[in-house]
């Protein structure tokens, strides 16, 4: 039986491992320690399409394709594992609190409108439309963009469900066995760790920010940067926010999560009072009832951001069978990674629709 090694046991790595294992490959995941930054645990869980790919339609199409696979993906995870990823697709708003925000959203919607292969379902909506669906929205909200394809999931339950499903498919997850490089041992593709080496027919690097240096050892260019995002979580509240926004969503258990900060090149997790305060101020302007909610916890997580913001899919030319995958939208793209990319890599290929999301775009930019 052919063997595949996936480096990284977060949502991206697990999704790819599940997709590869379904083809019959023997899959091993090499994961780090729990002390390492884990974006899979520190995000808001949005399955989001509006605004993505405004400057690159193939990215918009790819996000849409994955979002369309999410209902079946979530159902299959629940059926296979008994763990509900709590996927909810009721549509999402991007709320605007000023004329400047409203103009920026309208410009984005106009830019996406009529793009080939992209449903024309993102629209600017007025306050009456918003209040019909979000009755507790505040008076400072003056409009929004709306997309019925947007939703959210519980990233912790998604991570757990993927791990359980992976093991049920025979995937072996080895923790604290950190990969150092990928190369050829003679004619054999091999992952080199501090104490062990693992030969394989396929190797996929999906190790978050560690993907860049590891991919470089196999001749792949995957430029990434760290971005810290801070999030605040309230006590459990009665159902009040039926539709997610990029800054606020209510989990099925009742807790409200808010915050959408992006601190470029910050490498230490943690929170800062000014950013948490700005999150709270905006959340209260959007939903005034949150002013009386108790905050239970907050965190700052280090996330992956490709240099141009779009997913990167790389295939090594110097180490045949080696690939790398990196993205900021691991939740949104999980369904496509499990259902499309993983099986394609098992066949030693990348889907043709990802041609413009290949790492070769950075080689072209460097040459120019």
């Amino acid at each position: 039986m052919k063997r595949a090694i996936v480096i990284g046991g977060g949502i991206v790595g697990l999704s790819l491992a599940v997709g590869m294992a379904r083809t019959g490959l023997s899959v091993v995941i090499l994961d780090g320690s729990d002390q390492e930054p884990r974006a899979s645990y520190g995000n808001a869980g949005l399955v989001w399409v509006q605004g993505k790919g405004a400057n690159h339609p193939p990215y918009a199409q790819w996000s849409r394709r994955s979002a369309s696979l999410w209902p079946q993906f979530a159902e299959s995870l629940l059926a296979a594992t008994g763990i509900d990823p709590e996927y909810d697709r009721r549509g999402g708003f991007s709320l605007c609190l000023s004329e400047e925000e409203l103009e920026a959203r309208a410009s984005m919607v106009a830019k996406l409108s009529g793009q080939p292969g992209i449903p024309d379902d993102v629209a600017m909506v007025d306050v009456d439309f918003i209040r019909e669906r979000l009755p507790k929205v505040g008076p400072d909200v003056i409009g929004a963009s709306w997309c019925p394809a947007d939703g959210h999931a519980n990233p912790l339950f998604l991570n757990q469900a993927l791990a359980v499903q992976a093991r049920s498919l025979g995937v072996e997850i080895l923790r604290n066995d950190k990969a150092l490089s990928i190369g050829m041992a003679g004619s054999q593709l091999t992952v080199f760790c501090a104490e062990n080496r693992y030969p394989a027919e396929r190797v996929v690097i999906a190790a978050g920010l560690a993907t860049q240096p590891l991919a470089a050892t196999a001749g792949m260019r995957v430029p990434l940067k760290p971005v810290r995002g801070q999030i605040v979580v309230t006590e459990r509240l009665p159902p009040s926010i039926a539709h997610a926004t990029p800054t606020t969503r209510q989990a099925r258990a009742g807790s409200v999560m808010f915050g959408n900060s992006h601190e470029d090149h910050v490498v230490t997790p943690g929170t800062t009072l000014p950013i948490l305060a700005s999150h709270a101020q905006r959340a209260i302007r959007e939903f005034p009832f949150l002013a009386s909610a108790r905050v239970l916890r907050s965190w700052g997580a280090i996330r992956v951001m490709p240099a141009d913001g779009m997913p990167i899919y790389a295939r090594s030319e110097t180490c045949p069978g080696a690939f790398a995958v990196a993205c900021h939208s691991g939740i949104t793209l999980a369904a496509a990674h499990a259902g499309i990319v993983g099986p394609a890599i098992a066949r030693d290929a990348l889907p043709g629709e990802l041609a413009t999301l290949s790492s070769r775009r950075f080689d072209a930019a460097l040459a120019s």
Side-chain angles (χ1 to χ4, degrees):
M1 182 182 292
K2 289 184 177 181
R3 186 191 213 190
I5 303 292
V6 177
I7 303 172
I11 285 173
V12 175
L14 285 167
S15 301
L16 294 165
V18 164
M20 296 170 74
R22 284 176 178 157
T23 70
L25 284 183
S26 172
V27 181
V28 175
I29 294 176
L30 301 180
D31 200 15
S33 70
D34 286 337
Q35 281 68 48
E36 296 180 26
R38 291 195 178 266
S40 295
Y41 299 162
N43 65 85
L46 295 178
V47 181
W48 210 254
V49 299
Q50 66 166 297
K52 288 181 179 175
N55 296 314
H56 191 69
Y59 176 31
Q61 294 165 6
W62 182 235
S63 298
R64 289 281 188 162
R65 185 165 187 199
S66 190
S68 72
L69 295 172
W70 248 96
Q72 183 179 356
F73 176 60
E75 289 174 8
S76 67
L77 281 173
L78 175 59
T81 69
I83 300 168
D84 188 352
E86 296 187 351
Y87 174 58
D88 189 336
R89 186 182 187 178
R90 303 184 194 180
F93 289 97
S94 185
L95 302 176
C96 300
L97 302 179
S98 68
E99 291 295 339
E100 291 78 13
E101 289 184 6
L102 199 64
E103 290 175 8
R105 293 306 295 179
S107 176
M108 181 277 296
V109 170
K111 195 170 189 178
L112 282 172
S113 179
Q115 293 276 15
I118 303 173
D120 195 12
D121 59 356
V122 181
M124 296 303 297
V125 295
D126 61 19
V127 173
D128 290 340
F129 183 96
I130 299 168
R131 289 193 182 282
E132 286 179 8
R133 293 155 180 82
L134 293 173
K136 293 193 175 184
V137 77
D140 286 352
V141 174
I142 62 173
S145 60
W146 156 262
C147 179
D150 287 328
H152 59 96
N154 185 315
L156 299 182
F157 290 165
L158 172 61
N159 197 95
Q160 184 183 5
L162 283 167
V164 170
Q165 186 176 43
R167 289 191 174 98
S168 74
L169 292 168
V171 176
E172 186 178 7
I173 301 176
L174 303 178
R175 300 198 182 277
N176 300 310
D177 204 356
K178 191 172 183 178
L180 301 178
S181 64
I182 296 90
M184 304 300 293
S187 61
Q188 178 65 63
L189 180 63
T190 304
V191 178
F192 298 91
C193 299
E195 297 181 1
N196 301 300
R197 60 173 59 187
Y198 298 90
E201 281 69 39
R202 303 284 181 272
V203 172
V204 186
I205 309 166
L209 290 169
T211 299
Q212 179 172 338
L214 279 172
T217 68
M220 293 179 284
R221 179 174 166 79
V222 183
L224 306 171
K225 65 178 179 180
V227 173
R228 185 170 68 183
Q230 300 184 38
I231 290 178
V232 180
V233 183
T234 74
E235 64 184 321
R236 295 182 177 184
L237 300 169
S240 304
I241 304 175
H243 303 274
T245 81
T247 57
T248 309
R249 77 172 184 90
Q250 186 168 24
R252 194 171 295 178
S255 299
V256 174
M257 303 173 66
F258 58 84
N260 188 31
S261 56
H262 291 77
E263 299 169 83
D264 286 346
H265 301 292
V266 177
V267 297
T268 55
T271 59
T272 59
L273 187 57
I275 287 180
L276 296 182
S278 69
H279 288 346
Q281 290 164 2
R282 184 176 184 99
I284 291 169
R285 291 182 68 193
E286 291 181 346
F287 300 99
F289 75 91
L290 291 175
S292 60
R294 291 182 299 172
V295 169
L296 297 187
R297 59 189 178 276
S298 60
W299 66 76
I302 306 304
R303 301 167 184 168
V304 177
M305 181 64 76
D308 60 1
M310 298 187 297
I312 303 172
Y313 300 92
R315 182 181 183 184
S316 176
E317 295 181 2
T318 59
C319 296
F323 296 80
V325 176
C327 64
H328 186 69
S329 303
I331 305 293
T332 300
L333 297 177
H337 287 162
I340 300 172
V341 180
I345 289 176
R347 300 189 301 269
D348 197 20
L350 286 172
E353 63 199 291
L354 300 182
T356 65
L357 297 175
S358 161
S359 60
R360 292 178 180 175
R361 68 187 188 265
F362 300 107
D363 297 333
L366 192 64
S368 63

